């Protein structure tokens, strides 16, 4: 599943729609999709779809734009919502509102509202896995796959209130493939967090993959941390570009898109 140099040759033209309000909270999301995807409706001919949650920085959907655009170029509809980790409920209502929006509206946006990948980076990764482990939190729905990027899974997921590793130890099953990517040089969330999860999933034979590209916490989403701005910003650093392409390929393949050879 590693990227190859032919990815750029297979890339399609993309478009971005910014600032759609997705729920009662008034929060907004951005849509990154292949040109022409907006004409689809329902599941027939729908574009493979990913809902991608950012990390702990409040309302930072823009941070994921480099990765989202790279994934969209592989033929995938990617929706990236804002959410606030400093909200009274830790962001739970925002995350679940965005999920409800995608289930209801993705068909009209060119995607698939019932069968899509749920993905998250950093503080967004645990909540994504939590939904698969506790589908009762979203009316029994499960994603087609979960993709966790540089996450921790030993802390309560903001969507469910329980730690994914605890749920696994208690016998819960995500019921779908789980794909993990974690930078081997991550100094913010050590890569052993994803290794521990992969081991817990593999023990009973569940479907899981783990990749550790040579990059850091920000690089895994094609960015670099800017101390002056106190946020991640786009970068052209080779390690981050390569890692981002790897992640884009994982997201696309999990969603049933082009992926990487």
């Amino acid at each position: 599943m590693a990227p190859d140099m032919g990815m750029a040759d297979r890339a399609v033209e993309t478009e971005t729609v910014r600032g759609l309000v997705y729920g009662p909270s008034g929060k907004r999301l951005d849509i990154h999709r292949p040109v022409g995807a907006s004409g689809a409706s329902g599941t027939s001919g729908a574009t493979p779809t990913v809902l991608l949650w950012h990390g702990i920085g409040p309302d930072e959907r823009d941070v994921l734009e480099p990765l989202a655009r790279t994934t969209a170029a592989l033929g995938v509809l990617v929706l990236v919502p804002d959410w606030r980790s400093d909200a009274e409920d830790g962001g739970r209502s925002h995350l679940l509102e965005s999920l409800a929006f995608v289930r209801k509206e993705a068909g009209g946006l060119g995607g698939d509202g019932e069968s899509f990948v749920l993905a998250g980076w950093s503080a967004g990764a645990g909540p994504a896995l939590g939904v698969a482990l506790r589908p009762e939190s979203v009316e029994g729905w499960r994603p087609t796959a979960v993709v966790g990027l540089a996450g921790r899974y030993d802390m309560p997921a903001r969507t469910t209130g329980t730690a994914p590793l605890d749920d696994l130890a208690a016998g819960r099953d995500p019921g779908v493939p789980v794909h993990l990517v974690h930078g081997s040089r991550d100094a913010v969330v050590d890569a052993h967090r994803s290794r521990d999860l992969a081991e817990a999933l593999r023990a009973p034979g569940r479907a899981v993959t783990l990749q550790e590209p040579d990059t850091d916490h920000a690089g895994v989403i094609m960015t670099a941390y800017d101390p002056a701005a106190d946020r991640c910003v786009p970068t052209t650093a080779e390690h981050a570009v390569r890692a981002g392409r790897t992640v884009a390929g994982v997201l696309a393949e999990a969603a049933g898109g082009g992926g990487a050879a």
Side-chain angles (χ1 to χ4, degrees):
M1 198 180 295
D4 68 9
M5 298 310 292
M7 284 180 65
D9 296 335
R10 294 197 300 275
V12 299
E13 186 180 355
T14 66
E15 61 183 2
T16 296
V17 179
R18 295 184 176 88
L20 269 67
V21 174
Y22 66 72
S25 65
K27 289 295 172 190
R28 297 179 181 272
L29 60 75
D30 293 342
I31 301 166
H32 307 273
R33 63 191 174 194
V35 169
S38 57
S41 61
T43 59
S44 179
T47 302
T49 303
V50 173
L51 173 58
L52 178 59
W53 287 333
H54 66 69
I56 202 166
D59 295 341
E60 286 192 345
R61 69 184 192 272
D62 59 299
V63 165
L64 290 174
E65 182 160 333
L67 173 61
R69 289 173 64 88
T70 301
T71 306
L74 296 177
V76 181
L77 172 72
V78 186
L79 302 101
V80 186
D82 276 338
W83 65 280
R84 295 193 69 93
S85 60
D86 58 358
E88 187 174 346
D89 64 356
R92 181 177 186 272
S93 61
H94 299 154
L95 294 166
L96 295 182
E97 279 178 24
S98 70
L99 178 56
F101 175 90
V102 176
R103 292 184 64 194
K104 182 179 180 181
E105 305 293 345
L109 298 170
D112 189 335
E114 280 306 307
S115 299
F116 59 88
V117 171
L118 190 53
W121 169 64
S122 194
L129 180 57
V131 168
L133 287 164
R134 291 183 173 267
E136 67 272 17
S137 64
V138 287
E139 304 172 331
W141 178 87
R142 273 190 169 113
T144 55
V146 171
V147 177
L149 311 174
R152 285 189 66 165
Y153 308 95
D154 60 330
M155 301 172 64
R158 294 169 188 268
T159 46
T160 62
T162 59
L165 281 171
D166 290 345
D167 281 343
L168 287 168
R172 284 188 172 260
D173 190 330
V176 299
V178 177
H179 304 287
L180 306 173
V181 185
H182 209 125
S184 62
R185 295 190 279 112
D186 194 328
V188 177
V189 178
D190 192 274
H192 81 77
R193 302 293 183 180
S194 289
R195 294 179 200 132
D196 290 347
L197 177 63
E199 183 177 349
L201 287 164
R202 286 191 187 114
R206 300 184 182 101
V208 59
T209 65
L210 170 61
Q211 296 191 58
E212 296 184 36
D214 180 24
T215 192
D216 55 19
H217 194 67
V220 81
I221 57 163
M222 249 173 173
T223 65
Y225 177 66
D226 181 350
D230 190 25
R231 64 190 292 111
C232 294
V233 298
T235 182
T236 57
E238 183 179 356
H239 69 90
V241 171
R242 290 181 67 86
R245 287 176 175 168
T246 293
V247 172
V250 170
L251 290 168
E253 187 168 317

Coordinates of all heavy atoms in Angstrom, one line a residue, residues 1 120 125 129 146-151 153 177-183 191 193-199 201-202 208-213 220 246-247 250:
M1 N 0.8 -1.2 0.0 CA 0.0 0.0 0.0 C 0.9 1.3 0.0 O 0.4 2.4 0.2 CB -0.9 0.0 1.2 CG -2.1 0.9 1.1 SD -3.1 0.9 2.6 CE -3.7 -0.8 2.5
G120 N -9.5 10.0 11.3 CA -9.1 11.1 12.2 C -7.6 11.2 12.4 O -6.9 10.1 12.4
A125 N -8.4 10.7 16.0 CA -8.4 9.3 15.6 C -9.1 8.4 16.6 O -9.9 7.5 16.1 CB -6.9 8.8 15.6
L129 N -12.4 5.6 15.8 CA -12.5 4.2 16.1 C -13.6 3.9 17.1 O -14.2 2.8 17.1 CB -11.1 3.7 16.7 CG -11.0 2.2 17.1 CD1 -11.3 1.3 15.9 CD2 -9.6 2.0 17.6
V146 N -12.1 2.2 9.3 CA -11.5 3.3 10.1 C -10.1 3.5 9.7 O -9.3 2.6 9.6 CB -11.7 3.0 11.6 CG1 -10.9 4.0 12.5 CG2 -13.1 2.9 12.0
V147 N -9.7 4.8 9.6 CA -8.3 5.1 9.4 C -7.8 6.1 10.5 O -8.4 7.2 10.7 CB -8.0 5.8 8.0 CG1 -6.6 6.2 7.9 CG2 -8.4 4.9 6.9
G148 N -6.9 5.6 11.3 CA -6.4 6.4 12.4 C -5.0 6.9 12.1 O -4.1 6.1 11.8
L149 N -4.8 8.2 12.2 CA -3.5 8.9 11.9 C -2.9 9.5 13.2 O -3.4 10.4 13.8 CB -3.7 10.0 10.9 CG -4.5 9.6 9.6 CD1 -4.7 10.8 8.8 CD2 -3.8 8.5 8.9
A150 N -1.7 8.9 13.6 CA -1.0 9.5 14.8 C -1.9 9.7 16.0 O -1.8 10.7 16.6 CB -0.3 10.8 14.3
G151 N -2.7 8.7 16.3 CA -3.6 8.8 17.4 C -3.2 8.1 18.7 O -2.3 7.3 18.7
Y153 N -5.2 5.7 21.7 CA -6.4 4.9 21.9 C -6.6 4.4 23.3 O -7.5 3.6 23.5 CB -6.3 3.7 20.9 CG -6.0 4.2 19.5 CD1 -4.7 4.3 19.0 CD2 -7.0 4.7 18.7 CE1 -4.4 4.8 17.7 CE2 -6.7 5.3 17.4 CZ -5.4 5.3 16.9 OH -5.2 5.8 15.7
P177 N -12.4 -3.1 8.8 CA -10.9 -3.0 8.8 C -10.5 -1.7 9.5 O -11.1 -0.6 9.3 CB -10.6 -3.0 7.3 CG -11.8 -3.7 6.7 CD -13.0 -3.3 7.5
V178 N -9.4 -1.7 10.2 CA -8.8 -0.6 10.8 C -7.4 -0.4 10.2 O -6.5 -1.3 10.2 CB -8.6 -0.7 12.3 CG1 -7.9 0.5 12.9 CG2 -10.0 -0.9 12.9
H179 N -7.1 0.8 9.7 CA -5.8 1.1 9.0 C -5.2 2.3 9.8 O -5.8 3.3 10.1 CB -6.0 1.6 7.6 CG -6.7 0.6 6.8 ND1 -6.2 -0.6 6.4 CD2 -8.0 0.5 6.3 CE1 -7.0 -1.3 5.7 NE2 -8.2 -0.6 5.6
L180 N -3.9 2.0 10.3 CA -3.2 3.0 11.1 C -2.0 3.5 10.4 O -1.3 2.7 9.8 CB -2.8 2.3 12.4 CG -4.0 1.6 13.2 CD1 -3.4 0.9 14.4 CD2 -5.0 2.7 13.7
V181 N -1.7 4.8 10.5 CA -0.5 5.4 10.0 C 0.1 6.3 11.1 O -0.7 7.1 11.7 CB -0.7 6.2 8.7 CG1 0.7 6.7 8.2 CG2 -1.4 5.4 7.7
H182 N 1.3 6.1 11.4 CA 1.9 6.9 12.5 C 3.4 7.2 12.2 O 4.1 6.2 11.9 CB 1.9 6.0 13.8 CG 1.8 6.9 15.1 ND1 0.8 6.7 16.0 CD2 2.6 7.9 15.5 CE1 1.0 7.6 17.0 NE2 2.1 8.3 16.7
G183 N 3.8 8.4 12.2 CA 5.1 8.8 11.9 C 6.1 8.2 12.9 O 5.9 8.2 14.1
A191 N 4.8 6.5 18.5 CA 4.3 5.5 17.6 C 3.8 4.3 18.3 O 3.0 3.5 17.7 CB 5.3 5.2 16.5
R193 N 1.8 4.0 20.5 CA 0.3 4.1 20.7 C -0.4 3.4 19.6 O -1.4 2.7 19.9 CB -0.1 5.6 20.8 CG 0.5 6.4 21.8 CD 0.2 6.0 23.2 NE 0.7 6.9 24.2 CZ 0.6 6.7 25.5 NH1 -0.1 5.7 26.0 NH2 1.1 7.5 26.4
S194 N 0.0 3.5 18.4 CA -0.6 2.8 17.3 C -0.2 1.4 17.3 O -1.0 0.5 16.9 CB -0.3 3.5 15.9 OG -1.0 4.7 15.8
R195 N 1.1 1.1 17.7 CA 1.5 -0.3 17.7 C 0.7 -1.1 18.8 O 0.3 -2.2 18.5 CB 3.0 -0.4 18.1 CG 3.9 0.2 17.0 CD 5.4 0.1 17.5 NE 6.2 1.0 16.7 CZ 7.1 1.9 17.3 NH1 7.3 1.8 18.6 NH2 7.8 2.7 16.5
D196 N 0.4 -0.5 19.9 CA -0.4 -1.1 21.0 C -1.8 -1.5 20.4 O -2.3 -2.6 20.7 CB -0.5 -0.2 22.2 CG 0.8 -0.1 23.0 OD1 1.8 -0.9 22.7 OD2 0.9 0.8 23.8
L197 N -2.3 -0.5 19.7 CA -3.7 -0.8 19.2 C -3.6 -1.9 18.1 O -4.5 -2.8 18.1 CB -4.3 0.5 18.5 CG -5.6 0.3 17.9 CD1 -6.7 -0.1 18.9 CD2 -6.0 1.6 17.1
A198 N -2.6 -1.9 17.2 CA -2.5 -2.9 16.2 C -2.4 -4.3 16.8 O -3.0 -5.2 16.4 CB -1.3 -2.6 15.3
E199 N -1.6 -4.3 17.9 CA -1.4 -5.6 18.6 C -2.7 -6.1 19.2 O -3.1 -7.3 19.1 CB -0.3 -5.5 19.7 CG 0.0 -6.8 20.4 CD 1.1 -6.6 21.4 OE1 1.8 -5.6 21.4 OE2 1.3 -7.6 22.2
L201 N -5.7 -5.4 18.2 CA -6.6 -5.8 17.1 C -6.2 -7.2 16.5 O -7.0 -8.0 16.2 CB -6.7 -4.8 16.1 CG -7.4 -3.5 16.4 CD1 -7.1 -2.4 15.5 CD2 -8.9 -3.8 16.4
R202 N -4.9 -7.4 16.4 CA -4.4 -8.6 15.7 C -4.6 -9.8 16.6 O -4.8 -10.9 16.0 CB -2.9 -8.4 15.4 CG -2.6 -7.5 14.2 CD -1.1 -7.6 13.8 NE -0.8 -6.6 12.8 CZ 0.1 -5.6 13.0 NH1 0.7 -5.5 14.2 NH2 0.3 -4.8 12.0
V208 N -6.4 -5.4 10.4 CA -5.7 -4.2 10.8 C -4.4 -4.0 10.0 O -3.7 -5.0 9.7 CB -5.4 -4.1 12.3 CG1 -4.5 -5.3 12.7 CG2 -4.7 -2.8 12.7
T209 N -4.0 -2.8 9.6 CA -2.7 -2.6 9.0 C -2.1 -1.4 9.7 O -2.8 -0.6 10.3 CB -2.9 -2.2 7.5 OG1 -3.6 -0.9 7.4 CG2 -3.6 -3.2 6.7
L210 N -0.8 -1.4 9.8 CA 0.0 -0.3 10.4 C 1.2 0.1 9.5 O 1.9 -0.8 9.2 CB 0.5 -0.7 11.8 CG 1.5 0.2 12.5 CD1 0.9 1.6 12.7 CD2 1.9 -0.4 13.8
Q211 N 1.3 1.4 9.2 CA 2.4 1.9 8.5 C 3.1 3.0 9.3 O 2.4 3.8 10.0 CB 2.0 2.4 7.1 CG 1.5 1.3 6.2 CD 1.3 1.8 4.8 OE1 2.3 2.3 4.1 NE2 0.1 1.8 4.2
E212 N 4.4 3.0 9.3 CA 5.2 4.0 10.1 C 6.1 4.8 9.1 O 7.3 4.5 9.1 CB 5.9 3.4 11.2 CG 5.0 2.7 12.3 CD 5.7 2.2 13.5 OE1 6.8 2.8 13.9 OE2 5.3 1.1 14.0
P213 N 5.6 5.7 8.4 CA 6.5 6.5 7.5 C 7.5 7.3 8.3 O 7.3 7.6 9.5 CB 5.6 7.4 6.7 CG 4.4 7.5 7.6 CD 4.2 6.2 8.3
V220 N 2.7 13.6 9.0 CA 1.8 12.5 8.6 C 0.6 13.1 7.9 O -0.1 12.4 7.1 CB 1.5 11.6 9.8 CG1 0.3 12.2 10.6 CG2 1.1 10.2 9.3
T246 N 1.4 8.7 1.2 CA 1.1 7.3 1.7 C -0.3 7.3 2.4 O -1.1 6.4 2.1 CB 2.1 6.9 2.8 OG1 3.4 6.7 2.1 CG2 1.7 5.7 3.5
V247 N -0.6 8.4 3.2 CA -1.9 8.4 3.9 C -3.0 8.6 2.9 O -4.0 7.9 3.0 CB -1.9 9.6 4.9 CG1 -3.3 9.8 5.5 CG2 -0.9 9.3 6.0
V250 N -3.8 5.3 1.5 CA -4.5 4.5 2.5 C -6.0 4.9 2.5 O -6.9 4.0 2.5 CB -3.9 4.6 3.9 CG1 -4.7 3.9 4.9 CG2 -2.5 3.9 3.9

